[in-house]
Amino acid sequence: MAAESIDVAVVGAGAAGVATCWALVERGLSVRVFDGGLGATSLAGGAIDDRPWEELARAATTLRVEPLARPVGAEAARFVAALGLHRLGDEGASMPRVATPMGRFRIARGHDRALLDLSRLADGARVLVPRVPRAEWDADALARAWSADDYARARGFELVSMDAELTMHLGEARIASADLAALHDDDARVRWLGARLLELVAREGRADALLLGPWLGATHARAEALTQQVGVPVGEAMGEVGGAAGLRFEAARSRLFERIAVSLEREQVHAAHLDDAKVELTCESGATLRARAVVLAIGGVASGGIVFDPPERHAGRDAPSGVRAPFRTSLAAPVTLAAAGRVFDVGSSLFGPALEREAWPTDADPGLLECVGVACRGARVGARLFAAGDVIADRPRTFLEAASSGIVAADAVLGALRGR
Amino acid sequence: MTSPGEPVPRVSGRLASASAAETCDVDLVVIGGGVNGTGVARDATLRGLRVALFERNDLAFGASGNSSGMIHGGPRYLSADPEVTYTSCKDSGHIQSIAPHLLFRIPFLLPVPQAKRRIFPLMDAFFEAYDRYQPLKRGKPHARLTGEELVQLEPGLRGELYGGITFDEWGIDGGRLCVANAVDAHEEGARLFVGSTVEAIEHEGGVVRAVRYRDRGTGVGGRITTPRVVNATGAWAPLTASLGQLPPVHARVRPGKGIHVVFDRRLSNYAIMSETIDGRTIFIEPWQNVSVIGTTDDDYYGDLDDVVATSEEVRYLVEGVARVFPAVREARIIGTFAGVRPTLYEYGKLEDALSREHAIVEHAATDGVTGLYSMLGGKLASYRLFAEEMVDLLMRDRLGRPGAPSTTHLRALPGGDRELDALRFARDHGIDAIAARRLVYRHGARAERIGERMKRRASEARTVCVCEPVLEAEVRHVVEHEFARTVDDVARRTRLGLGACGGMRCAARCGAIVAEGRGHAPEVAAMDSLRFLTQKARTRVCALGPIEARQEAIAIASLRSQAGIPTRSRLAVVGEWAAGNTAVVNAAVGNSAAAASVSVDERGAQDGG
């Protein structure tokens, strides 16, 4: 089978991959993108950051100031607008606040439009948290925890749980939250929900906002429609891993790709062979693709782009067959892995690293699982090989940072293809 | 030191203290909430003593809750220490009759490789000898198997197998056993101080007077007068002795660390014996709804409150089991646990060769302090007998003659008095049959009390932990009636959060329920659940495979996204910065993230790249 040929192949369709594609198309290059399955972006809960928010929050607490939204690069902001999924906080204004299932109101640089932004409520707002018979939604405990959050206290918010009938069938208590969200893709169902919420507001007398679980649509965020119908802001709390926010990202991604005429291949890429003139990708199905350059946007360990694969795993009854680095990329490619500023060489254990020391973040270190990735300069890994997003070693794992790195990669690719 | 059965040395001053004892707050202080401590507290309470028990961490925090989870007869001890095998088997039988709900049968397979075919008859004879002890604990006699039969029973076995032997043991949840003893003691009038550490054992003129203690949660201290103190603190025993100004070596143990590796499901039908590279016997056992590999035995010099397995120990065990059952290499490990055995002290012996006997130190004889005793050594399987011996001694010392005999082998532990049909329970309460089965396993007939809660408040029938599963009513029950104060304590009693998801789905909710039940603020709940999640992560990360590593990375990302990882701030210096405006905040954060290879401002990053 004769291999097709295009300008750039992008491997991975998370925040970094999609941003790379968008920026490459903006630069007039032809693109093919591969999606090998769920990555960190598809698993995330709907809040997006530029810097790790916990560091901002900690600094803000220490200094007793309200953190304000930093500027986002112009092109990154245009990308976010093109994707159409998130609302960014206004530059220089107070940052958005979203509710987390761990009972906090956390700052975010932006958020999925379905999420309720509590920074936009007036001081002393009364927020209703309806009881819904679902395992992830203990409205009483959540309302209690949110009420006790520092931000809620500072703003004088009152979070109140109350009975409500927001599900139609008994089985909806047990289905996955993403499936419940998908039910709200139906307009009639959303109107029904809006009517129930209206009743609730009427019964409660005073309501300044309604905070629900991550159930408001799988393809579109239905929060805005509900807000219009009910007359007060209606929105979601962040979801757990693998919830509706990830589905909405995938839907927004499909819409964007359709608009910019990029075709998404739902296939895992097994290998990237490079020579002086081209890159050749081999897919799971055996199909091959020729490109002038390739961008790896396969994500880190959480996405499966970096695989922890110590030699002891495949040893059977015998000792491991030889020493090698305990991590590899999910596709075979000429890359070097690094973590915490150190390149993985051959290793000094036949079995694997002392994970109890290195795997989880500690006071001193970010933790191997978070920082391991491909060693590169900017976006450049090799002559025709580039990287974007979480696959890059030692970078903060935030959405906006991943998107920006995709834009950087697009520029680097353009430079390389023009023979700079 | 006295071994069981030896005459107890008489100490002068006993009668003098007897009258003073009348005015004491309690008749006995037990230090340690393991199986020995709770066993003594229960036995002594049932014999009419006023008892207070102090536990520094949590019930079953140490060796009792981190054992292999068996009350086995110990065929291992049969040739060197047949007395241990006899007492273990006999007391196993008693435990079985007082807590039948907590026991489950674990049939063992001992594969015999071709290389050992010559000694097969010898092994057969050995287990024939062990068969004689089996009726004591209602065990089945052993069976001989051919190589083909062996593989038929356990298709995952590999290697050149000549044949095999089956034998019968009982599994138990050590945590539940301690809790059951503690609850029974408490209901009969004992005072329990869980989470309170003893700071000093006061004695005056060679007689114990009181203990001073401090609640480690609130920091509030107290003093309780008592004529007798039993040090049942396992591996902590020498530390505890020093709190009475005694030389620690007078309650010396040989602390032996043992770790276990937990898999996400039952990997085999039988427990399978294997040998490590240094010839030690280890096994993989199906235990409750998981499989467990155990165990190591290494001298331990570390922190007893913080014992965790290392990658290296995990590999040692996995390598050992992979010899006969290679599937363990590819199976998914969901955690490890570690504890320290309080083995009787001997210098110069290999860990495995140490005696599993138990002994009582009377500090009247060794240190001239009347009323102070240390319980050393022992096994889960014979804890009840050890406790009985301890209380016999206390009664003799108190009365000068044997007191009322122990009834702990006759009286059922809470929930063990009658059988409850789990399926009917599930139907009656409209809950999942598996949830009901697990609930009845843990609580026996007392599951009915949890059922009544759900009848009163239907919302308590909601599932908190999906993996185990655990219902809200059970969490509330263990907080209100079983001395659980944290998510970790709830996990120890219900196995909440110990399944494949590592508590990611349930810790926050459980923390909220615990805080509500104990009248704590929600931020206490958040801290408690975060602590649980990060602590449990530490027990998992030493045993990662490809899937586990990815799950762990997702867990870290998810925690970061929703709660922030509770590490000490790398921005501690920020407080010294004078200005209080946002620009400084951002500069500070920018500084800390200086390692970032790409900045949010893509133009700036290009320059940097």
Side-chain angles (χ1 to χ4, degrees):
Chain A
M1 172 177 149
E4 282 183 80
S5 188
I6 47 144
D7 288 334
V8 190
V10 178
V11 188
V18 179
T20 308
C21 291
W22 173 83
L24 286 168
V25 170
E26 290 258 306
R27 283 156 183 71
L29 296 170
S30 65
V31 179
R32 186 72 61 85
V33 59
F34 294 86
D35 175 29
L38 286 183
T41 312
S42 296
L43 292 171
I48 60 173
D49 303 300
D50 46 3
R51 302 276 181 215
W53 71 276
E54 41 188 333
E55 294 181 13
L56 270 174
R58 205 179 288 140
T61 310
T62 313
L63 295 173
R64 298 167 181 279
V65 294
E66 171 70 22
L68 304 182
R70 284 160 50 94
V72 172
E75 208 169 357
R78 279 209 296 127
F79 164 69
V80 171
L83 187 62
L85 178 65
H86 301 107
R87 195 186 76 81
L88 287 178
D90 297 330
E91 197 178 305
S94 290
M95 293 178 78
R97 293 273 177 169
V98 295
T100 81
M102 298 284 287
R104 293 196 60 170
F105 290 129
R106 66 103 125 176
I107 49 175
R109 187 61 188 80
H111 59 86
D112 184 310
R113 288 172 190 279
L115 268 56
L116 184 69
D117 175 4
L118 288 111
S119 75
R120 309 225 282 179
L121 303 183
D123 283 348
R126 186 166 193 265
V127 182
L128 305 190
V129 185
R131 294 192 188 102
V132 176
R134 292 184 51 80
E136 82 273 16
W137 195 252
D138 185 342
D140 302 300
L142 287 171
R144 244 192 334 272
W146 284 324
S147 299
D149 181 86
D150 287 343
Y151 182 73
R153 284 200 285 223
R155 299 285 316 276
F157 291 158
E158 186 191 356
L159 286 108
V160 199
S161 52
M162 77 269 309
D163 286 326
E165 297 272 331
L166 305 184
T167 48
M168 272 183 157
H169 307 290
L170 215 57
E172 290 174 15
R174 296 198 178 181
I175 58 177
S177 71
D179 290 338
L180 182 57
L183 293 176
H184 293 111
D185 285 338
D186 175 23
D187 290 332
R189 174 69 190 244
V190 174
R191 280 196 299 278
W192 179 85
L193 177 62
R196 297 288 81 72
L197 294 177
L198 264 173
E199 287 169 15
L200 192 65
V201 171
R203 200 180 71 211
E204 282 297 314
R206 191 188 146 211
D208 299 312
L210 281 154
L211 186 51
L212 303 176
W215 313 310
L216 304 182
T219 58
H220 289 86
R222 310 311 296 263
E224 278 154 13
L226 283 166
T227 298
Q228 275 191 355
Q229 187 181 350
V230 181
V232 296
V234 178
E236 295 179 347
M238 282 179 73
E240 289 170 340
V241 170
L247 292 178
R248 288 191 294 257
F249 166 76
E250 289 178 0
R253 175 180 73 186
S254 299
R255 291 192 290 267
L256 176 65
F257 281 159
E258 202 172 317
R259 231 168 31 244
I260 63 176
V262 168
S263 79
L264 175 69
E265 310 291 339
R266 294 193 182 277
E267 237 191 319
Q268 190 132 26
V269 178
H270 273 188
H273 306 282
L274 279 81
D275 60 34
D276 290 344
K278 61 174 194 316
V279 187
E280 193 167 279
L281 297 184
T282 318
C283 296
E284 204 178 7
S285 63
T288 55
L289 176 81
R290 269 189 202 159
R292 294 166 67 199
V294 61
V295 180
L296 298 182
I298 52 180
V301 178
S303 298
I306 304 285
V307 181
F308 176 64
D309 189 19
E312 63 183 318
R313 290 301 284 195
H314 314 290
R317 285 188 75 222
D318 297 316
S321 54
V323 66
R324 56 184 166 82
F327 291 94
R328 59 176 172 81
T329 45
S330 61
L331 75 168
V335 297
T336 307
L337 295 184
R342 193 165 49 92
V343 163
F344 276 101
D345 47 26
V346 290
S348 51
S349 162
L350 194 53
F351 297 86
L355 287 158
E356 74 276 9
R357 285 206 308 266
E358 300 189 50
W360 256 71
T362 63
D363 292 346
D365 289 307
L368 203 52
L369 299 180
E370 274 188 296
C371 62
V372 62
V374 169
C376 53
R377 292 183 56 79
R380 193 183 152 88
V381 181
R384 295 176 177 277
L385 188 56
F386 301 86
D390 285 2
V391 72
I392 299 172
D394 298 327
R395 50 167 292 283
R397 269 52 176 145
T398 66
F399 182 97
L400 288 168
E401 204 278 340
S404 297
S405 73
I407 294 164
V408 172
D411 277 337
V413 170
L414 189 68
L417 295 188
R418 281 186 185 154
R420 205 171 57 184
Chain B
M1 257 185 220
T2 47
S3 284
E6 274 180 43
V8 175
R10 295 271 72 99
V11 177
S12 62
R14 174 181 52 76
L15 291 174
S17 69
S19 57
E22 304 294 309
T23 60
C24 281
D25 297 332
V26 291
D27 300 320
L28 169 67
V29 162
V30 181
I31 312 175
V35 78
N36 290 337
T38 56
V40 167
R42 174 177 187 245
D43 197 334
T45 307
L46 292 177
R47 290 201 235 180
L49 297 188
R50 296 171 301 150
V51 177
L53 181 143
F54 290 89
E55 165 53 51
R56 170 179 166 79
N57 295 299
D58 183 27
L59 301 173
F61 178 87
S64 307
N66 292 292
S67 72
S68 303
M70 273 187 284
I71 43 169
H72 61 87
R76 197 175 135 184
Y77 318 125
L78 188 55
S79 41
D81 249 344
E83 182 69 13
V84 171
T85 305
Y86 174 75
T87 51
S88 300
C89 288
K90 183 147 185 258
D91 217 36
S92 282
H94 288 316
I95 296 170
Q96 200 178 126
S97 57
I98 60 174
H101 60 295
L102 285 181
L103 272 84
F104 48 94
R105 199 177 281 277
I106 305 182
F108 267 76
L109 281 185
L110 172 60
V112 178
Q114 287 288 357
K116 285 194 179 165
R117 60 187 301 173
R118 279 163 192 279
I119 62 163
F120 192 53
L122 212 65
M123 296 165 101
D124 189 28
F126 176 86
F127 279 98
E128 221 165 279
Y130 188 46
D131 284 350
R132 265 180 261 151
Y133 297 90
Q134 287 285 14
L136 293 169
K137 59 183 176 80
R138 297 174 193 82
K140 294 178 178 167
H142 83 290
R144 265 171 311 171
L145 302 171
T146 64
E148 293 83 64
E149 286 168 334
L150 202 59
V151 175
Q152 212 167 22
L153 286 176
E154 210 50 85
L157 283 174
R158 292 289 179 275
E160 299 192 340
L161 299 169
Y162 173 70
I165 285 169
T166 67
F167 60 99
D168 206 17
E169 298 295 358
W170 290 99
I172 193 166
D173 185 321
R176 292 299 316 163
L177 184 63
C178 290
V179 169
N181 276 286
V183 166
D184 201 26
H186 179 67
E187 287 175 355
E188 292 301 313
R191 297 163 67 186
L192 264 72
F193 297 81
V194 178
S196 286
T197 192
V198 167
E199 292 189 321
I201 303 164
E202 298 178 358
H203 47 88
E204 206 180 291
V207 181
V208 166
R209 294 283 181 225
V211 297
R212 278 194 288 110
Y213 62 91
R214 188 172 302 280
D215 184 316
R216 298 180 80 203
T218 62
V220 176
R223 183 173 181 272
I224 192 166
T225 55
T226 176
R228 284 166 214 92
V229 170
V230 168
N231 168 15
T233 51
W236 286 259
L239 281 69
T240 307
S242 75
L243 299 175
Q245 293 82 49
L246 307 184
V249 290
H250 287 181
R252 195 170 209 178
V253 293
R254 175 100 179 256
K257 179 183 176 190
I259 74 141
H260 291 82
V261 180
V262 186
F263 293 86
D264 66 337
R265 67 194 72 186
R266 293 167 71 105
L267 298 175
S268 57
N269 305 311
Y270 290 75
I272 302 165
M273 309 284 284
S274 182
E275 265 188 14
T276 59
I277 190 161
D278 51 352
R280 297 183 52 252
T281 301
I282 57 169
F283 55 81
I284 177 166
E285 56 166 346
W287 193 85
Q288 298 205 37
N289 42 12
V290 295
S291 270
V292 173
I293 300 185
T295 173
T296 58
D297 192 345
D298 293 297
D299 285 301
Y300 186 72
Y301 299 91
D303 183 345
L304 291 169
D305 284 352
D306 187 28
V307 186
V308 284
T310 64
S311 292
E312 201 221 345
E313 291 168 319
V314 171
R315 284 170 189 143
Y316 166 82
L317 290 179
V318 170
E319 292 299 308
V321 170
R323 298 276 299 172
V324 292
F325 196 75
V328 289
R329 280 199 200 280
E330 313 300 325
R332 179 170 169 204
I333 296 175
I334 57 170
T336 61
F337 57 91
V340 177
R341 303 172 184 82
T343 324
L344 294 185
Y345 181 80
E346 266 185 283
Y347 197 94
K349 265 194 181 177
L350 284 178
E351 294 92 332
D352 279 318
L354 293 168
S355 165
R356 260 53 177 174
E357 276 273 16
H358 56 242
I360 296 169
V361 179
E362 296 172 78
H363 293 285
T366 57
D367 303 276
V369 179
T370 301
L372 182 55
Y373 308 82
S374 290
M375 299 172 78
L376 306 179
K379 300 170 78 255
L380 205 58
S382 50
Y383 89 92
R384 197 211 54 81
L385 184 70
F386 193 11
E388 178 178 330
E389 287 167 7
M390 182 69 244
V391 181
D392 282 349
L393 185 61
L394 291 172
M395 298 298 278
R396 267 205 304 264
D397 279 1
R398 181 171 176 240
L399 305 168
R401 58 181 164 76
S406 173
T407 54
T408 53
H409 58 305
L410 302 172
R411 177 189 160 96
L413 281 166
D417 48 334
R418 68 204 148 79
E419 228 176 285
L420 199 64
D421 181 351
L423 284 179
R424 179 181 297 167
F425 186 86
R427 274 197 305 274
D428 288 352
H429 295 90
I431 61 170
D432 178 58
I434 295 171
R437 178 70 198 87
R438 305 298 306 150
L439 194 67
V440 169
Y441 168 74
R442 288 190 287 269
H443 297 271
R446 291 246 167 143
E448 280 176 349
R449 299 194 181 183
I450 295 166
E452 282 158 22
R453 296 188 70 102
M454 296 190 281
K455 283 223 164 95
R456 284 199 302 274
R457 271 181 71 187
S459 66
E460 287 196 18
R462 287 181 296 191
T463 307
V464 180
C465 166
V466 189
C467 304
E468 177 51 27
V470 180
L471 308 178
E472 182 180 326
E474 189 185 4
V475 176
R476 292 193 186 275
H477 176 83
V478 302
V479 170
E480 286 169 28
H481 304 291
E482 294 186 351
F483 317 99
R485 302 146 304 140
T486 62
V487 177
D488 194 31
D489 292 0
V490 173
R492 210 169 275 115
R493 285 156 182 73
T494 65
R495 300 185 54 72
L496 170 139
L498 302 184
C501 86
M504 288 305 294
R505 289 176 188 280
C506 61
R509 171 112 184 273
C510 177
I513 296 171
V514 173
E516 194 198 357
R518 296 183 48 82
H520 289 159
E523 55 260 40
V524 177
M527 252 163 52
D528 179 21
S529 32
L530 271 179
R531 197 178 305 123
F532 175 78
L533 287 172
T534 46
Q535 250 172 25
K536 287 298 155 202
R538 275 181 74 208
T539 72
R540 290 193 302 266
V541 290
C542 56
L544 297 182
I547 302 165
E548 297 92 322
R550 187 171 175 202
Q551 187 191 5
E552 218 54 54
I554 291 171
I556 294 169
S558 162
L559 259 196
R560 276 217 194 284
S561 172
Q562 297 179 359
I565 302 255
T567 52
R568 244 169 291 135
S569 173
R570 273 177 285 160
L571 301 173
V573 290
V574 164
E576 295 165 18
W577 294 20
N581 61 46
T582 313
V584 178
V585 178
N586 289 325
V589 173
N591 255 6
S592 87
S597 57
V598 186
S599 137
V600 175
D601 181 347
E602 63 266 18
R603 298 297 157 201
Q606 253 181 335
D607 300 338

